[in-house]
Amino acid sequence: QVRLVESGGGLVQAGGSLRLSCAASGRTFSSYTMGWFRQAPGKEREFVAAILWSGLSTKYADSVKGRFTISRDNAKKTLALQMNSLKPEDTAVYYCAADTAPFRVVVTTTPSLFDSWGQGTQVTVSS
């Protein structure tokens, strides 16, 4: 497994921006799809965005498409999520996660296929 540490969460007004970061250590970061998930109080954890190990393919939840951008720096072993035009419904704890299998052909979005999770970072968007 890989150790993941998220940072960058906070309180922001609706329409504002935040940039989340995730630092990885352990197994080879550059071989695995990485993803961002979120969990709001009383709700199940949901997929937000994911990026293929190569960085050449990404997927987004419909609710964040056009507002959020996922990126990775394999040399620095970091994952990022740029969040713009934030809405109150984006309020949640955000987690980064690493895929279970290396060198997948397509981007993974299913939580059960990610086996390494960070501790989460709180994002609160006020109206």
Side-chain angles (χ1 to χ4, degrees), residues 15-119:
S17 298
L18 280 175
R19 184 177 178 85
L20 304 183
S21 296
C22 175
S25 60
R27 72 182 182 202
T28 308
F29 175 81
S30 59
S31 303
Y32 295 84
T33 292
M34 296 295 297
W36 287 99
F37 295 80
R38 67 187 182 187
Q39 187 167 18
K43 295 187 178 181
E44 293 187 356
R45 189 170 297 186
E46 64 174 0
F47 167 75
V48 175
I51 185 167
L52 200 64
W53 55 273
S54 62
L56 296 179
S57 182
T58 58
K59 283 190 178 180
Y60 296 91
D62 288 343
S63 59
V64 307
K65 204 171 291 184
R67 300 188 297 122
F68 291 11
T69 302
I70 189 171
S71 61
R72 66 189 298 161
D73 185 329
N74 284 344
K76 296 181 178 179
K77 294 186 177 181
T78 58
L79 179 73
L81 185 69
Q82 178 66 42
M83 305 186 295
N84 298 329
S85 302
L86 282 161
K87 304 175 181 180
E89 50 264 44
D90 294 319
T91 295
V93 177
Y94 283 71
Y95 301 88
C96 67
D99 193 354
T100 55
F103 304 119
R104 288 195 196 270
V105 177
V106 295
V107 179
T108 309
T109 64
T110 306
S112 62
L113 294 181
F114 290 78
D115 67 346
S116 297
W117 296 82
Q119 83 289 349

